[in-house]
Amino acid sequence: MTSPATLPAAPAREGAATAVAHPNIALVKYWGKRDETLFLPVTGSLSMTLDVFPTTTSVQLIDGPADTVELNAAPATGAALTRVEKFLDLVRAKAGRTERAAVVTTNAGPTGAGLASSASGFAALATAAAAAYGLDLDGRALSRLARRGSGSAARSIFGGFVVWHAGDGDGEAGDLSSFAEPIGGEDLEPALVLGIVAAGAKAVSSRDAMRRTTETSPLYRPWAESSRLDLAEMREAVARQELSVIGEIAERNALGMHATMLAARPAVRYLSPHSLAVLDEVLALRADGIAAYATIDAGPNVKVLCARADAPVVAARIEALGEFVTTRTAHIGPGVRRTTGDDR
């Protein structure tokens, strides 16, 4: 795996750039901020970048009074537009420039469905916007920038297994020390079978659910403490190339996170009866001798970690549950890259 800082920049005309980034699925979850402005997490997290559902984003500086944002061939409005505008303001401040931008972004996968579209989206936007505004950032700095748009986007800057450090302290010290970096594990040959039970946008955004959980759930602090231990054990398991241990830690960490949401006041419940059916099938697969482990982000869709060789069987068993679920099998994916824009 290589950092974006080591990749040659694609040719681009002045003030324009295009980038492609892939989603990542956290195996030790990010859930909760200690700083809402700088997007500093309560705990560190660890993820696997996927080779499916990329986001392609182009940024072109324009001579106009306002930014324009197109998302999946339609004008962005409301909160989606505001998020991008605020992020561009941050980039402009860092670059010491004032030009507005035209942003065109396309997600190859579902948007806002708990399949990490915000991670790939802001990783691509950070990379394209930094280039368009003339910022020269290495991989660490780019991950810190992407973090300001969506915390999990810090991890999508890199390919493979990636750790996002919570960092130490607040303010500038916290900002500088909270970044992502790749940690190896590419020889594991894992697969992640995505059990998609709902492709539409979820009713409660991840941001709102996260804030409600951290502010009201009596289970949140105990989960955060256990998650720090999970992260340390997960890093050891990745270093030892022990896929079954990685799966065990990922499953308990995800189920614990959803327990904290159920205990929020009022409760946040992303898991549907269809989600539970997939979880039950994962248990059945293990009973049949197949090392399969579930993880679930802030949404109803279940992802199943297994060995690459077992993925066809896992996908077939999940699809056999009924028409309510479809699958897509992902493997280790690459970090963000600049493009000419011709391969969109």
Side-chain angles (χ1 to χ4, degrees):
M1 290 173 291
T2 57
S3 154
T6 67
L7 298 176
R13 61 190 183 277
E14 179 68 23
T18 299
V20 178
H22 288 74
N24 70 80
I25 297 299
L27 303 178
V28 174
K29 302 298 186 185
Y30 151 55
W31 197 245
K33 302 182 186 74
R34 70 179 192 274
D35 186 310
E36 290 272 354
T37 301
L38 294 175
F39 283 41
L40 300 178
V42 173
T43 64
S45 57
L46 188 149
S47 66
M48 172 179 152
T49 300
L50 309 184
D51 62 352
V52 299
F53 298 154
T55 297
T56 302
T57 299
S58 297
V59 176
Q60 168 72 59
L61 303 193
I62 59 174
D63 182 13
D67 299 312
T68 64
V69 181
E70 180 183 297
L71 173 60
N72 293 332
T77 59
L81 174 61
T82 300
R83 267 182 95 176
V84 174
E85 290 174 329
K86 287 184 176 180
F87 187 79
L88 292 173
D89 286 341
L90 173 65
V91 176
R92 282 187 280 263
K94 288 181 177 294
R97 301 179 68 162
T98 59
E99 303 100 313
R100 298 297 167 176
V103 177
V104 178
T105 187
T106 304
N107 290 325
T111 300
L115 290 168
S117 60
S118 66
S120 57
F122 275 95
L125 177 60
T127 303
Y133 281 98
L135 291 173
D136 184 16
L137 304 179
D138 63 14
R140 177 177 295 190
L142 195 56
S143 76
R144 290 173 48 237
L145 176 61
R147 187 198 78 223
R148 298 288 297 275
S150 173
S152 57
R155 300 187 304 250
S156 278
I157 296 299
F158 302 100
F161 288 89
V162 179
V163 65
W164 171 21
H165 301 284
D168 299 311
D170 300 310
E172 183 178 1
D175 179 36
L176 290 172
S177 58
S178 184
F179 58 88
E181 62 180 342
I183 59 168
E186 54 268 29
D187 296 332
L188 275 166
E189 294 195 0
L192 205 63
V193 178
L194 312 180
I196 302 171
V197 300
K202 55 205 177 191
V204 181
S205 72
S206 296
R207 284 191 177 190
D208 290 343
M210 187 181 296
R211 185 176 296 112
R212 189 189 307 175
T213 302
T214 57
E215 291 178 354
T216 71
S217 174
L219 300 185
Y220 179 73
R221 290 297 168 184
W223 175 81
E225 292 172 7
S226 68
S227 193
R228 293 185 181 95
L229 299 176
D230 287 344
L231 179 57
E233 291 182 26
M234 181 71 84
R235 294 194 65 168
E236 292 177 0
V238 171
R240 294 195 304 264
Q241 308 280 304
E242 295 178 340
L243 189 59
S244 61
V245 177
I246 292 171
E248 290 172 1
I249 299 169
E251 187 169 287
R252 77 191 188 204
N253 186 268
L255 293 176
M257 183 185 81
H258 280 267
T260 70
M261 287 188 271
L262 288 172
R265 300 172 184 180
V268 178
R269 185 173 70 87
Y270 285 124
L271 300 182
S272 70
H274 293 157
S275 308
L276 298 179
V278 177
L279 288 172
D280 286 343
E281 188 60 28
V282 171
L283 292 176
L285 282 161
R286 288 211 293 272
D288 292 338
I290 297 174
Y293 300 89
T295 185
I296 318 103
D297 289 322
N301 299 304
V302 181
K303 300 89 178 176
V304 185
L305 182 70
C306 61
R308 190 182 188 115
D310 291 331
V313 172
V314 172
R317 289 275 294 264
I318 292 173
E319 289 193 349
L321 292 172
E323 294 183 356
F324 65 82
V325 60
T326 59
T327 66
R328 179 74 179 269
T329 299
H331 305 104
I332 284 182
V336 69
R337 62 187 175 91
R338 291 262 307 279
T339 80
T340 61
D342 297 331
D343 55 350
R344 290 189 61 185

